[in-house]
Amino acid sequence: MKTTYGLILSAFALIISFSSCSSDPLDLVTTVTEGDFTIALPSPPTTNGQMNLTAQFTTQNIFKGKSSKVLGYQSGSILGPTIVVNTGDVMSVNLQNNLTEPTNIHWHGLIVPANMDGHPEDVVQPGASFDYKFKVIQRGGLYWYHPHPDGYTAKQAFMGLAGAVIVRDAEEEKLNLPSGEFEVPLVIQDKRINTDYSLDYTPTMNDVMTGYMGQYITVNGVHAPYKGVKTTTYRFRVLNGSNSRIYNLGFSNGASFKVIGSDGGLLETAEAVSTLLLAPGERADILMDFSSYNIGTELFLMNNSFTGTSTQGKQKFNILKFVVETKITTNFVTPLALSTLDKIAANSASKTRTFRISEMSMSGMSNMGNMGGMTMTGMHQINNKVYDKNRIDEVVAAGSTEIWVFDNSTGAEPHPMHVHGVQFQVLDRTGGRGGLIASEKGWKDTILLLPGEKVRVIMTFNNNKGLFVLHCHNLEHEDDGMMLQFEVQ
Ligand code: C2O
Ligand code: CU
Ligand code: CU
């Protein structure tokens, strides 16, 4: 039985009124609690592309002086190391699974052979290990890695299994962008905790509906950190590694900053903005100039409120405090031209496929099962289908160019749609916000659709043959079945 979102919401309201006395249970778990911004911002250690990762139970101080039980890829750390490689390098990563359930690694945004992509069924059993080995054919950019086992992705990512991959290339090198201490990865995530500070991943049906949100915003694994800065331009490599929270990033003094790159590397030209919407899975490469600030100035990287969806965006909150500490003189000027993008012409596409992502199913609610600790309901669908490992939904010719249309025109929820195995260009957005924002004008692998929006993307598939997935990167939606398979033949 198919039904409208309104009906489903009333069904939820009913369930909620039975299970809770609170007037607005949605807001209780989505309202952010700021901290005091007294922990120095850490940066995960960097490694080259040759190393071992061990998925394990461990602890980290996410909150000042409090040890939280988390999952990590290394002992004592919620996030894995930042892997820094050059285009053309061979990455060779051994994953040891010391969890009590299957896991694997998906290299989000990297174009790798199907058997290295961390397909949801291609998992490493507890106690076992797997060698990921592939050549990095990507242009420079910020990519990331996280688990992708069917039904466990959301939980494992939320509990701490994720890390950044920075790919460098000659083109970027020539620009002399801020580097060393002036290039700072910022992995932004929201967390929910138990009374003993351990991370809490216990989604209710409500959470599956909206996506799991936490009231504590962390950056690089710690809550409410601060960073001392010098009076110069910084390059922030921002990853929204949250399960479902969308951020409308900006600075608390309204300062403009420059967007120079997106999911798949540099844009053609920098674009100055004062806010930037970043959905789960998306990355933004931004330049922030602190050169005119007085010593002692404090300002925040913050989330501005935003409209377009009813489940998020109501609250403004601070994420990371900057304290201007040291006067230095540099003469960095943002280059006028950053890169050239070979635009894929719409008429070079041999096929157009449409993915309707507005549909909700009520029937799923009657056959709720438990997958990886979350409530699997099958409410979120693509083209009226929930993920089925035994069904190949689309067959794509290797090397072909296609237009994919993500259609949320009658939808009531935001969905950041992600495709494995390719980088795409966004042709247009109709409905909702209409145009493209700064970070959508380059190569992308994840694109946000707010309710009412339809987006066309164009991409040329690689010659990596085999099975890949496309899915909503709201990880609760994804584990709920909002994922399809496609085979490159
Ligand atoms: Cu970042 Cu299929 O995921
Ligand atoms: Cu991916
Ligand atoms: Cu979704």
Side-chain angles (χ1 to χ4, degrees), residues 40 49 69 75 84 219 223 234 255 268 300 371 389 391 395 412 466 474:
K69 285 190 205 140
S75 177
V84 184
V219 187
H223 177 234
Y234 280 74
E268 289 200 292
F300 292 88
M371 303 194 62
K389 65 176 184 196
R391 187 190 63 225
V395 176
N474 176 317

Side-chain angles (χ1 to χ4, degrees), residues 106-110 117 144 146 148 418-421 445-446 469 471 473:
H106 168 58
W107 308 94
H108 182 130
L110 294 182
D117 194 53
W144 65 302
H146 61 78
H148 221 301
H418 171 54
V419 187
H420 285 210
D445 53 55
T446 307
V469 291
H471 61 89
H473 220 288

Side-chain angles (χ1 to χ4, degrees), residues 79-394:
L79 291 171
T82 300
I83 302 171
V84 184
V85 291
N86 294 309
T87 303
D89 285 359
V90 171
M91 261 172 72
S92 160
V93 178
N94 175 268
L95 170 67
Q96 167 69 35
N97 182 3
N98 285 358
L99 306 178
T100 52
E101 62 195 29
T103 191
N104 65 5
I105 297 181
H106 168 58
W107 308 94
H108 182 130
L110 294 182
I111 295 167
V112 303
N115 63 348
M116 293 291 143
D117 194 53
H119 184 283
E121 310 309 325
D122 207 351
V123 296
V124 183
Q125 294 302 333
S129 70
F130 183 79
D131 286 310
Y132 290 92
K133 193 168 185 193
F134 52 84
K135 189 171 176 178
V136 177
I137 60 169
Q138 229 59 40
R139 69 199 290 253
L142 176 65
Y143 305 92
W144 65 302
Y145 59 98
H146 61 78
H148 221 301
D150 182 25
Y152 296 96
T153 300
K155 179 176 82 174
Q156 292 181 7
F158 187 88
M159 292 301 289
L161 296 178
V165 181
I166 293 178
V167 177
R168 307 221 179 266
D169 66 10
E171 181 189 37
E172 186 193 290
E173 203 66 40
K174 276 193 248 146
L175 297 175
N176 283 313
L177 296 167
S179 62
E181 66 174 297
F182 305 113
E183 181 189 19
V184 185
L186 301 177
V187 179
I188 304 176
Q189 300 176 301
D190 57 342
K191 301 295 180 195
R192 227 186 268 185
I193 53 170
N194 297 303
T195 47
D196 67 352
Y197 289 85
S198 57
L199 292 187
D200 168 26
Y201 191 75
T202 50
T204 61
M205 200 152 60
N206 249 339
D207 295 318
V208 176
M209 194 69 178
T210 60
Y212 200 72
M213 281 174 263
Q215 57 272 65
Y216 301 105
I217 310 296
T218 61
V219 187
N220 297 350
V222 304
H223 177 234
Y226 78 92
K227 173 156 185 64
V229 293
K230 298 179 176 168
T231 54
T232 185
T233 298
Y234 280 74
R235 180 182 186 191
F236 295 118
R237 316 293 304 265
V238 191
L239 159 66
N240 182 351
S242 308
N243 277 29
S244 63
R245 195 181 278 282
I246 300 164
Y247 302 90
N248 191 18
L249 298 174
F251 290 89
S252 52
N253 60 353
S256 79
F257 55 95
K258 285 180 180 148
V259 183
I260 60 167
S262 58
D263 301 347
L266 292 171
L267 304 176
E268 289 200 292
T269 53
E271 186 169 331
V273 299
S274 57
T275 60
L276 187 72
L277 212 57
L278 198 68
E282 289 187 305
R283 286 87 69 203
D285 197 344
I286 64 175
L287 297 179
M288 174 63 181
D289 181 2
F290 295 100
S291 64
S292 63
Y293 292 77
N294 295 324
I295 302 303
T297 305
E298 296 187 351
L299 69 159
F300 292 88
L301 176 70
M302 66 171 297
N303 174 67
N304 291 282
S305 54
F306 56 94
T307 56
T309 159
S310 60
T311 50
Q312 297 198 36
K314 284 177 220 154
Q315 189 192 3
K316 275 188 188 182
F317 51 82
N318 292 325
I319 296 172
L320 164 64
K321 178 157 112 176
F322 294 104
V323 182
V324 182
E325 285 177 342
T326 313
K327 184 114 203 124
I328 56 167
T329 312
T330 53
N331 49 8
F332 175 77
V333 180
T334 308
L336 279 179
L338 299 167
S339 179
T340 29
L341 295 186
D342 293 323
K343 286 257 158 49
I344 312 177
N347 64 14
S348 66
S350 55
K351 201 170 174 96
T352 297
R353 298 175 204 256
T354 299
F355 297 92
R356 299 185 314 277
I357 57 173
S358 309
E359 284 131 359
M360 303 289 306
S361 166
M362 193 81 161
S363 61
M365 289 172 67
S366 56
N367 58 19
M368 280 164 53
N370 203 299
M371 303 194 62
M374 74 165 273
T375 312
M376 159 85 173
T377 64
M379 287 181 296
H380 298 92
Q381 309 191 332
I382 303 175
N383 287 345
N384 282 330
K385 296 186 281 190
V386 290
Y387 174 69
D388 180 347
K389 65 176 184 196
N390 297 314
R391 187 190 63 225
I392 294 167
D393 300 283
E394 309 289 337

